[in-house]
Amino acid sequence: MLSGTPSREFCAELGPQPLVVGVDEAGRGPLAGPVVAAAVLLCKPGPPGVDDSKKLTARAREEAEQKIRATCAYGIGVVDVAEIDALNIFGATMLAMSLAMEQLCEALGLDDCHTLIDGNFTPQGRCDRWRWPAEAIVGGDGREPAIGAASILAKTWRDRMMVEAAREHPHYGWERNKGYGSKEHMEALRIHGPTPLHRRSFAPVAQLEMAL
Protein backbone atom coordinates (compact mmCIF):
# COMPACT_ATOMS: atom_id res chain seq x y z
CA MET A 1 0.00 0.00 0.00
CA LEU A 2 1.69 3.19 -1.23
CA SER A 3 -0.47 5.68 0.66
CA GLY A 4 -2.37 6.02 3.88
CA THR A 5 -5.09 8.32 5.16
CA PRO A 6 -5.95 8.26 8.86
CA SER A 7 -9.29 8.89 10.52
CA ARG A 8 -12.14 11.17 9.53
CA GLU A 9 -11.18 13.31 12.51
CA PHE A 10 -7.78 13.93 10.93
CA CYS A 11 -9.34 15.01 7.64
CA ALA A 12 -11.88 17.19 9.44
CA GLU A 13 -9.10 19.08 11.21
CA LEU A 14 -6.90 19.78 8.19
CA GLY A 15 -7.49 23.50 8.47
CA PRO A 16 -7.15 26.09 5.72
CA GLN A 17 -5.48 25.13 2.49
CA PRO A 18 -2.91 24.98 1.04
CA LEU A 19 -1.71 22.19 3.29
CA VAL A 20 1.99 21.98 4.11
CA VAL A 21 3.53 18.65 3.11
CA GLY A 22 7.08 17.42 3.75
CA VAL A 23 8.88 15.46 1.02
CA ASP A 24 12.17 13.55 1.16
CA GLU A 25 13.90 10.63 -0.55
CA ALA A 26 16.14 7.69 0.27
CA GLY A 27 18.50 5.78 -1.98
CA ARG A 28 20.22 8.24 -4.28
CA GLY A 29 23.70 6.87 -3.61
CA PRO A 30 23.43 3.05 -3.59
CA LEU A 31 24.67 0.86 -6.42
CA ALA A 32 21.57 -1.31 -6.31
CA GLY A 33 17.86 -1.03 -5.66
CA PRO A 34 15.22 1.64 -6.19
CA VAL A 35 15.05 5.24 -5.10
CA VAL A 36 12.12 5.88 -2.76
CA ALA A 37 10.44 9.14 -1.79
CA ALA A 38 7.78 9.91 0.78
CA ALA A 39 5.35 12.80 1.17
CA VAL A 40 3.84 13.36 4.63
CA LEU A 41 1.07 15.58 5.94
CA LEU A 42 1.50 15.61 9.70
CA CYS A 43 -1.26 15.19 12.24
CA LYS A 44 -1.67 17.85 14.94
CA PRO A 45 0.16 17.60 17.25
CA GLY A 46 2.80 15.74 15.27
CA PRO A 47 3.86 12.26 16.35
CA PRO A 48 6.72 12.07 18.88
CA GLY A 49 10.18 10.83 17.95
CA VAL A 50 10.29 12.46 14.52
CA ASP A 51 13.72 13.72 13.42
CA ASP A 52 16.15 13.41 10.54
CA SER A 53 16.15 9.66 9.83
CA LYS A 54 19.97 9.63 9.73
CA LYS A 55 20.08 10.72 13.38
CA LEU A 56 17.87 7.87 14.57
CA THR A 57 18.75 4.26 15.33
CA ALA A 58 17.06 1.59 13.22
CA ARG A 59 14.75 0.76 16.12
CA ALA A 60 13.85 4.41 16.72
CA ARG A 61 13.12 4.85 12.99
CA GLU A 62 10.82 1.84 12.97
CA GLU A 63 8.96 3.06 16.05
CA ALA A 64 8.59 6.54 14.56
CA GLU A 65 7.45 5.06 11.24
CA GLN A 66 4.65 3.14 12.93
CA LYS A 67 3.42 6.30 14.64
CA ILE A 68 3.59 8.34 11.43
CA ARG A 69 1.72 5.74 9.41
CA ALA A 70 -0.92 5.35 12.13
CA THR A 71 -1.65 9.06 12.60
CA CYS A 72 -0.56 11.02 9.52
CA ALA A 73 -1.40 11.03 5.82
CA TYR A 74 1.38 9.91 3.49
CA GLY A 75 2.29 8.83 -0.01
CA ILE A 76 5.22 6.70 -1.22
CA GLY A 77 6.90 6.92 -4.61
CA VAL A 78 9.17 4.11 -5.84
CA VAL A 79 11.29 4.34 -8.99
CA ASP A 80 13.00 1.13 -10.03
CA VAL A 81 16.45 0.49 -11.42
CA ALA A 82 15.38 0.47 -15.08
CA GLU A 83 13.99 4.01 -14.76
CA ILE A 84 17.03 5.16 -12.78
CA ASP A 85 19.28 3.97 -15.60
CA ALA A 86 17.03 5.55 -18.24
CA LEU A 87 16.55 8.92 -16.54
CA ASN A 88 19.70 9.25 -14.35
CA ILE A 89 19.44 9.29 -10.56
CA PHE A 90 18.51 12.98 -10.31
CA GLY A 91 15.62 12.61 -12.73
CA ALA A 92 14.52 9.41 -11.01
CA THR A 93 14.53 11.17 -7.64
CA MET A 94 12.38 13.99 -8.99
CA LEU A 95 9.97 11.38 -10.37
CA ALA A 96 9.83 9.48 -7.08
CA MET A 97 8.91 12.69 -5.24
CA SER A 98 6.19 13.40 -7.81
CA LEU A 99 4.77 9.90 -7.44
CA ALA A 100 4.76 10.24 -3.65
CA MET A 101 2.77 13.49 -3.90
CA GLU A 102 0.33 11.93 -6.34
CA GLN A 103 -0.29 9.08 -3.91
CA LEU A 104 -0.79 11.46 -0.99
CA CYS A 105 -3.19 13.74 -2.87
CA GLU A 106 -5.19 10.76 -4.11
CA ALA A 107 -5.49 9.47 -0.54
CA LEU A 108 -6.60 12.89 0.75
CA GLY A 109 -8.91 13.58 -2.14
CA LEU A 110 -7.48 17.08 -2.63
CA ASP A 111 -4.59 18.72 -4.42
CA ASP A 112 -4.02 22.12 -2.78
CA CYS A 113 -0.66 21.55 -1.09
CA HIS A 114 2.52 23.54 -0.51
CA THR A 115 5.55 21.28 -0.33
CA LEU A 116 8.74 21.54 1.71
CA ILE A 117 11.54 19.47 0.19
CA ASP A 118 14.88 18.52 1.69
CA GLY A 119 17.89 19.69 -0.29
CA ASN A 120 18.77 22.27 -2.93
CA PHE A 121 16.32 21.32 -5.68
CA THR A 122 12.64 20.59 -6.11
CA PRO A 123 10.86 18.73 -8.92
CA GLN A 124 9.17 21.98 -9.97
CA GLY A 125 10.12 22.50 -13.60
CA ARG A 126 12.20 19.30 -13.53
CA CYS A 127 9.50 16.63 -13.70
CA ASP A 128 6.41 16.86 -15.92
CA ARG A 129 4.24 15.17 -13.29
CA TRP A 130 4.99 17.73 -10.55
CA ARG A 131 2.22 20.32 -10.09
CA TRP A 132 2.58 21.75 -6.55
CA PRO A 133 4.29 24.88 -5.19
CA ALA A 134 7.61 23.77 -3.71
CA GLU A 135 10.27 25.14 -1.40
CA ALA A 136 13.72 23.54 -1.09
CA ILE A 137 15.24 23.58 2.40
CA VAL A 138 18.86 22.52 2.91
CA GLY A 139 19.01 20.29 5.98
CA GLY A 140 15.23 20.31 6.05
CA ASP A 141 14.96 16.78 7.41
CA GLY A 142 16.39 18.07 10.69
CA ARG A 143 14.60 21.45 10.63
CA GLU A 144 11.07 20.72 9.46
CA PRO A 145 9.13 17.92 11.23
CA ALA A 146 7.11 17.09 8.11
CA ILE A 147 10.32 16.57 6.10
CA GLY A 148 11.81 14.56 8.97
CA ALA A 149 8.73 12.33 8.93
CA ALA A 150 9.08 11.88 5.17
CA SER A 151 12.76 10.97 5.57
CA ILE A 152 11.82 8.28 8.09
CA LEU A 153 9.14 6.75 5.86
CA ALA A 154 11.33 6.82 2.75
CA LYS A 155 14.29 5.18 4.48
CA THR A 156 12.37 2.47 6.34
CA TRP A 157 10.35 1.64 3.22
CA ARG A 158 13.47 1.31 1.08
CA ASP A 159 15.39 -0.60 3.74
CA ARG A 160 12.65 -3.23 3.85
CA MET A 161 12.72 -3.53 0.07
CA MET A 162 16.48 -4.17 0.17
CA VAL A 163 16.19 -6.75 2.96
CA GLU A 164 13.58 -8.55 0.85
CA ALA A 165 15.80 -8.31 -2.25
CA ALA A 166 18.68 -9.82 -0.26
CA ARG A 167 16.72 -13.04 0.10
CA GLU A 168 16.76 -13.47 -3.69
CA HIS A 169 20.33 -12.19 -4.09
CA PRO A 170 22.09 -13.29 -0.89
CA HIS A 171 25.72 -12.69 -1.86
CA TYR A 172 25.81 -8.90 -1.66
CA GLY A 173 24.89 -8.22 1.96
CA TRP A 174 22.01 -5.90 1.08
CA GLU A 175 20.32 -6.66 4.40
CA ARG A 176 23.29 -4.86 5.96
CA ASN A 177 24.50 -2.31 3.39
CA LYS A 178 21.11 -1.62 1.71
CA GLY A 179 22.80 -1.56 -1.70
CA TYR A 180 25.52 0.96 -0.89
CA GLY A 181 29.05 0.26 -2.11
CA SER A 182 30.45 -1.32 1.04
CA LYS A 183 33.58 -3.46 0.92
CA GLU A 184 31.41 -6.58 1.23
CA HIS A 185 29.16 -5.45 -1.61
CA MET A 186 32.03 -4.55 -3.95
CA GLU A 187 33.79 -7.86 -3.33
CA ALA A 188 30.59 -9.76 -4.12
CA LEU A 189 30.18 -7.72 -7.30
CA ARG A 190 33.67 -8.72 -8.42
CA ILE A 191 32.98 -12.39 -7.73
CA HIS A 192 29.36 -12.76 -8.83
CA GLY A 193 28.84 -9.83 -11.17
CA PRO A 194 25.84 -7.46 -11.18
CA THR A 195 22.23 -8.55 -10.68
CA PRO A 196 19.15 -7.12 -12.41
CA LEU A 197 18.79 -4.83 -9.39
CA HIS A 198 22.17 -3.16 -9.90
CA ARG A 199 22.28 0.31 -11.42
CA ARG A 200 24.29 -0.08 -14.59
CA SER A 201 24.41 3.67 -15.13
CA PHE A 202 26.54 3.98 -11.96
CA ALA A 203 30.26 3.95 -12.71
CA PRO A 204 31.38 1.18 -10.29
CA VAL A 205 28.82 -1.23 -11.76
CA ALA A 206 29.39 -0.19 -15.36
CA GLN A 207 33.17 -0.46 -15.09
CA LEU A 208 32.99 -3.86 -13.47
CA GLU A 209 30.54 -5.15 -16.07
CA MET A 210 32.87 -4.01 -18.86
CA ALA A 211 35.75 -5.87 -17.22
CA LEU A 212 33.84 -9.16 -16.93
Side-chain angles (χ1 to χ4, degrees):
M1 181 171 158
L2 297 179
S3 63
T5 307
S7 65
R8 293 179 181 176
E9 289 76 16
F10 175 94
C11 294
E13 297 176 0
L14 289 178
Q17 298 175 15
L19 304 171
V20 178
V21 174
V23 182
D24 201 2
E25 54 75 28
R28 288 184 69 169
L31 304 180
V35 61
V36 176
V40 176
L41 177 63
L42 289 177
C43 58
K44 297 179 181 180
V50 171
D51 199 348
D52 177 358
S53 64
K54 296 184 291 295
K55 297 179 181 178
L56 301 176
T57 65
R59 181 173 180 179
R61 278 196 300 271
E62 290 171 2
E63 291 175 351
E65 183 212 21
Q66 292 175 9
K67 295 171 185 174
I68 295 164
R69 292 182 64 180
T71 61
C72 304
Y74 67 89
I76 303 291
V78 179
V79 175
D80 65 19
V81 170
E83 287 187 287
I84 292 172
D85 286 341
L87 294 172
N88 72 44
I89 187 58
F90 181 79
T93 301
M94 299 297 103
L95 175 59
M97 290 181 175
S98 303
L99 295 174
M101 279 299 298
E102 288 177 2
Q103 292 284 343
L104 172 63
C105 290
E106 182 177 350
L108 289 172
L110 54 85
D111 209 54
D112 192 5
C113 299
H114 178 82
T115 60
L116 305 177
I117 299 177
D118 183 53
N120 295 298
F121 300 99
T122 79
Q124 200 164 19
R126 298 180 174 91
C127 179
D128 292 342
R129 299 179 73 145
W130 186 267
R131 58 182 184 270
W132 305 271
E135 178 182 354
I137 301 177
V138 176
D141 45 5
R143 296 167 56 190
E144 293 286 345
I147 301 178
S151 76
I152 289 168
L153 288 197
K155 179 163 176 54
T156 53
W157 199 286
R158 186 181 186 280
D159 283 356
R160 278 195 296 272
M161 293 183 73
M162 294 308 297
V163 170
E164 182 64 28
R167 297 190 177 101
E168 186 175 353
H169 303 284
H171 304 298
Y172 303 88
W174 290 341
E175 69 276 19
R176 291 178 292 276
N177 59 55
K178 306 303 186 290
Y180 284 87
S182 67
K183 181 178 179 180
E184 174 189 29
H185 189 178
M186 295 305 296
E187 183 64 20
L189 261 175
R190 283 189 287 270
I191 295 171
H192 302 285
T195 71
L197 294 180
H198 278 98
R199 302 174 181 179
R200 284 162 169 78
S201 57
F202 278 41
V205 180
Q207 291 168 0
L208 181 62
E209 193 168 38
M210 289 175 61
L212 292 176

